[in-house]
């Protein structure tokens, strides 16, 4: 590691660690129906047992709470700031992998971890690419989806 690197041992120790407290939310049939209505989606699907299935991009409302940070962004309960000297933040992308469908009556738990930290040189200087992975699982532990967000700090 170069002397001016952003990837210090202290920072690298955060890889694989939770970014903030896990969040849990109950999926109500009314929430799924409101989602359909908001999209103008008339393709409502019920599984063979009669339970309403949510569209792939549906997520229940998670109550974040928390406080407003110096940068104006809401901090979730248990969230920490990474110890980096670069403070500007830019969303760089998102990918979603889908698992089993979310259904009415499910209790979904979202857990976000730091998946990777990568240093890059850009035209304006050194950047840190932070990839977080948020897993959404139901009460049976089945994976509903994984969202990977890339944030650039510079």
């Amino acid at each position: 590691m170069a002397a001016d690197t952003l990837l210090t041992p202290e920072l690298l120790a955060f890889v694989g660690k939770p970014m903030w407290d896990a969040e849990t939310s109950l999926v109500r049939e009314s929430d799924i129906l409101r989602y359909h209505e908001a999209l103008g989606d008339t393709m409502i699907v019920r599984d063979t047992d009669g339970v309403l299935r949510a569209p792939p991009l549906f997520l229940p409302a998670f109550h974040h709470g928390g406080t407003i940070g110096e940068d104006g962004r809401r901090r979730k309960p248990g969230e920490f700031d990474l110890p980096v000297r670069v403070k500007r933040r830019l969303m760089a992308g998102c990918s979603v992998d889908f698992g089993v469908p979310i259904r009415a009556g499910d209790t979904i738990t979202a857990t976000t971890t730091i998946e990777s930290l990568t240093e890059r040189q850009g035209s304006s200087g050194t950047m840190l690419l932070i990839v977080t992975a948020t897993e959404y699982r139901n009460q049976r532990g089945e994976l509903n989806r994984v969202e990977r967000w890339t944030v650039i700090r510079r």
Side-chain angles (χ1 to χ4, degrees):
M1 271 189 263
D4 62 345
T5 184
L6 297 173
L7 294 176
T8 63
E10 177 188 14
L11 184 62
L12 289 170
F14 286 95
V15 174
K17 304 278 193 238
M19 207 48 210
W20 44 73
D21 297 343
E23 302 171 279
T24 300
S25 183
L26 174 65
V27 178
R28 294 176 178 83
E29 185 168 297
S30 60
D31 295 332
I32 296 172
L33 292 172
R34 276 198 307 273
Y35 183 87
H36 278 287
E37 183 180 357
L39 295 178
D41 182 2
T42 58
M43 194 173 106
I44 295 173
V45 177
R46 290 190 183 272
D47 288 332
T48 57
D49 59 2
V51 176
L52 185 62
R53 181 189 296 184
L57 291 177
F58 170 87
L59 279 178
F62 290 99
H63 180 269
H64 298 303
T67 59
I68 303 296
E70 288 180 21
D71 60 0
R73 195 176 62 76
R74 181 172 296 282
R75 298 289 191 271
K76 296 179 181 182
E79 183 174 353
F80 56 86
D81 280 326
L82 289 173
V84 293
R85 65 179 183 270
V86 289
K87 297 297 179 191
R88 290 191 286 173
R89 178 185 317 258
L90 170 71
M91 297 305 295
C94 177
S95 68
V96 181
D97 296 318
F98 296 97
V100 301
I102 294 174
R103 297 168 19 117
D106 280 350
T107 298
I108 304 299
T109 300
T111 306
T112 302
T113 57
I114 297 175
E115 191 169 79
S116 67
L117 299 167
T118 308
E119 185 174 283
R120 296 272 166 84
Q121 289 298 318
S123 60
S124 63
T126 305
M127 301 180 289
L128 179 65
L129 280 70
I130 304 164
V131 177
T132 61
T134 302
E135 288 190 355
Y136 297 89
R137 292 184 179 272
N138 63 25
Q139 67 277 11
R140 293 174 297 284
E142 298 168 322
L143 183 65
N144 298 110
R145 77 194 225 191
V146 178
E147 293 178 356
R148 285 183 178 79
W149 289 87
T150 302
V151 175
I152 296 173
R153 299 276 297 265
R154 59 184 196 96

